[in-house]
């Protein structure tokens, strides 16, 4: 029943090649209330695990479209799942791709505790950039972006050292309260000097609210 879907999870990765893709959620003709432009330097080390809300009282037979924007030599793998209720950050972290990538990523690991220690909300005004640093033992970070009902425009960027972007997400939502965006961002190992930068690319009148787990330093 497409009218009962509450959220959609999208997991994109590669076998070590760059990743460049557009993800759009369509609700009826000529209406895409949620969109993402995703980039990763290495879709094996830095896959994108994202989710967005698809409210049943607003969507009509919603469709999720994924388009590989890279060259023919750089295929991507995708897993799209829908749920009738909101999933936890730990469940988003556990999402796997099919086939070979799934076997590579399903190594034994302790259960994820993401979502149990969300930071206090951080408001970012339109045009402002905020950088978050993390302890050396952090392996992945849950990022949640919402608004008070305004349209939401944001760029999320994973940095490792100066001028070295490992992954970038440009996101849009027509209503950040009913359609918030979230993702699990992998951190590239210890002593890597990694940080997550979030830029509100919307106008000053459209602030966004960010929460992270684990909380930044």
């Amino acid at each position: 029943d497409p009218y009962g879907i509450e959220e959609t999870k999208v997991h994109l990765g590669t076998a070590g090649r760059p990743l460049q893709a557009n993800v759009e959620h369509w609700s009826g003709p000529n209406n895409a209330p949620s969109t993402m432009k995703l980039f990763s330097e290495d879709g094996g080390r830095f896959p994108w695990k994202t989710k967005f809300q698809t409210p049943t009282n607003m969507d009509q037979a919603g469709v999720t479209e994924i388009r590989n924007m890279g060259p023919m030599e750089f295929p991507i793998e995708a897993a799209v799942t829908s749920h009738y209720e909101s999933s936890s950050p730990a469940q988003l972290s556990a999402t796997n791709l099919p086939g070979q990538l799934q076997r590579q990523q399903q190594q034994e690991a302790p259960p994820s505790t993401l979502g149990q220690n969300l930071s206090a909300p951080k408001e970012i005004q339109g045009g402002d950039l905020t950088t978050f640093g993390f302890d050396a033992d952090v392996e992945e970070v849950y990022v949640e972006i919402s608004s008070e009902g305004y349209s939401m425009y944001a760029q999320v960027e994973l940095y490792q050292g100066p001028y070295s972007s490992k992954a970038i997400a440009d996101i849009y939502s027509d209503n950040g309260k009913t359609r918030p965006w979230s993702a699990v961002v992998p951190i590239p190992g210890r002593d890597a000097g990694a940080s997550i930068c979030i830029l509100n690319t919307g106008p000053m009148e459209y602030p966004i609210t960010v929460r992270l787990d684990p909380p930044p330093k």
Side-chain angles (χ1 to χ4, degrees):
D1 177 9
Y3 296 94
I5 301 301
E6 290 288 348
E7 74 170 22
T8 299
K9 293 192 292 186
V10 178
H11 181 186
L12 302 181
T14 70
R17 295 183 173 91
L19 182 155
Q20 188 174 0
N22 289 353
V23 180
E24 298 178 338
H25 176 73
W26 292 88
S27 178
N30 303 317
N31 179 27
S34 300
T35 66
M36 296 180 279
K37 295 182 179 179
L38 304 176
F39 164 81
S40 175
E41 179 186 81
D42 181 339
R45 293 184 63 201
F46 309 113
W48 276 107
K49 298 181 180 182
T50 71
K51 71 174 181 179
F52 51 87
Q53 302 299 316
T54 53
T56 56
N57 63 335
M58 300 175 67
D59 280 354
Q60 297 183 1
V63 174
T64 299
E65 174 185 293
I66 300 174
R67 179 173 296 180
N68 185 350
M69 303 302 293
M72 183 177 62
E73 296 82 4
F74 293 165
I76 63 176
E77 287 202 38
V80 179
T81 55
S82 297
H83 299 270
Y84 292 94
E85 58 186 14
S86 181
S87 60
S88 69
Q91 290 172 319
L92 179 61
S93 173
T95 305
N96 282 300
L97 291 170
Q100 181 179 3
L101 286 181
Q102 183 179 20
R103 291 192 295 271
Q104 292 174 353
Q105 294 175 2
Q106 283 185 331
Q107 300 174 353
E108 291 188 5
S112 175
T113 60
L114 285 180
Q116 300 180 11
N117 189 28
L118 282 169
S119 65
K122 169 68 175 178
E123 187 174 274
I124 303 176
Q125 298 294 329
D128 284 356
L129 171 70
T130 302
T131 301
F132 303 93
F134 300 90
D135 293 328
D137 59 346
V138 173
E139 296 182 353
E140 59 183 8
V141 176
Y142 174 74
V143 180
E144 181 181 277
I145 303 178
S146 61
S147 76
E148 290 298 323
Y150 309 109
S151 296
M152 190 172 69
Y153 306 83
Q155 183 179 85
V156 180
E157 193 162 358
L158 172 64
Y159 270 103
Q160 182 183 4
Y163 310 110
S164 179
S165 298
K166 299 300 180 183
I168 303 172
D170 285 300
I171 64 174
Y172 162 77
S173 171
D174 69 350
N175 186 325
K177 186 173 184 178
T178 58
R179 300 181 189 275
W181 179 89
S182 56
V184 172
V185 182
I187 300 296
R190 297 189 177 189
D191 304 320
S195 59
I196 292 177
C197 304
I198 300 180
L199 171 66
N200 184 343
T201 56
M204 184 178 62
E205 298 82 2
Y206 291 170
I208 60 175
T209 301
V210 177
R211 302 179 72 190
L212 304 104
D213 185 17
K217 294 189 294 185

